[in-house]
Amino acid sequence: MIKVGDHFPEVTFTVMTSDGPKPKTSDEIFKGKKVVLFGLPGAFTPTCHRNHLPGYRDNYDALKAKGVDTIAVTAVNDAFVMGAWRDATNCGDKVEFLADGSAKFAQAAGLGLDLTERGLGMRMRRFSMLVVDGVVKSMNLEEGTGAEASGAAAMLEQV
Ligand code: BEZ
């Protein structure tokens, strides 16, 4: 599993734009930037929708004040779903929605989560990380069912 000191894997996410889905490479996202990335099992699922994502959206100003360039969320969902989730949660440009639709990042980072028995297929574990110029500086893997270790309040103490 990805850990502190590792370079972020070279992967390509998909983002939803006004012109439809577009690729976005890890280089474009992380090079020369201080990025808070959090990941979760799925757009619109209860803990992700009511707690994890809103925490980061609502702490946008506080994170920016600490020098964070980008707050980004990723999940094993396609860009259409991630775009709809961004719009439904009024995130605007505060959070970048990175679709990992084919779980390439989840696999490369060792963060895959098999939810087949619950009807969700292969997903991603809940986590947050601080990535500075492409290097992982902190990594918070959520062990329980909530979003505490990987939540915005915990990340605010690390940036
Ligand atoms: C959630 O509440 O975030 C959740 C629910 C079911 C499956 C995965 C995540």
Side-chain angles (χ1 to χ4, degrees):
M1 183 180 297
I2 192 166
K3 61 184 185 308
V4 170
D6 285 352
H7 283 267
F8 197 88
E10 281 185 29
V11 289
T12 301
F13 295 97
T14 311
V15 293
M16 181 53 82
T17 74
S18 50
D19 292 329
K22 300 285 178 202
K24 192 152 197 176
T25 67
S26 44
D27 238 32
E28 290 174 292
I29 297 160
F30 297 104
K31 201 168 184 182
K33 292 192 182 139
K34 185 173 178 177
V35 180
V36 168
L37 173 69
F38 62 106
L40 34 78
F44 294 105
T45 59
T47 304
C48 308
H49 187 67
R50 296 188 195 135
N51 178 357
H52 208 187
L53 174 61
Y56 281 94
R57 177 198 61 203
D58 297 344
N59 278 287
Y60 172 83
D61 288 337
L63 288 162
K64 292 294 276 189
K66 289 198 163 190
V68 172
D69 295 301
T70 308
I71 303 168
V73 60
T74 185
V76 181
N77 287 118
D78 62 67
F80 296 96
V81 168
M82 291 297 269
W85 198 30
R86 175 192 61 208
D87 296 344
T89 51
N90 297 314
C91 280
D93 293 329
K94 289 182 175 176
V95 179
E96 181 144 39
F97 284 67
L98 303 173
D100 185 32
S102 300
K104 288 191 174 169
F105 164 67
Q107 285 178 357
L111 288 164
L113 174 66
D114 186 355
L115 293 179
T116 301
E117 293 308 313
R118 297 177 70 180
L120 285 90
M122 286 308 297
R123 296 298 179 113
M124 184 187 296
R125 291 191 65 176
R126 191 183 303 281
F127 74 92
S128 68
M129 60 171 76
L130 175 65
V131 185
V132 179
D133 197 17
V135 177
V136 178
K137 296 292 181 186
S138 74
M139 171 70 195
N140 309 292
L141 188 66
E142 199 72 50
E143 298 291 351
T145 53
E148 306 304 326
S150 63
M155 181 52 74
L156 264 173
E157 303 299 316
Q158 299 170 17
V159 293

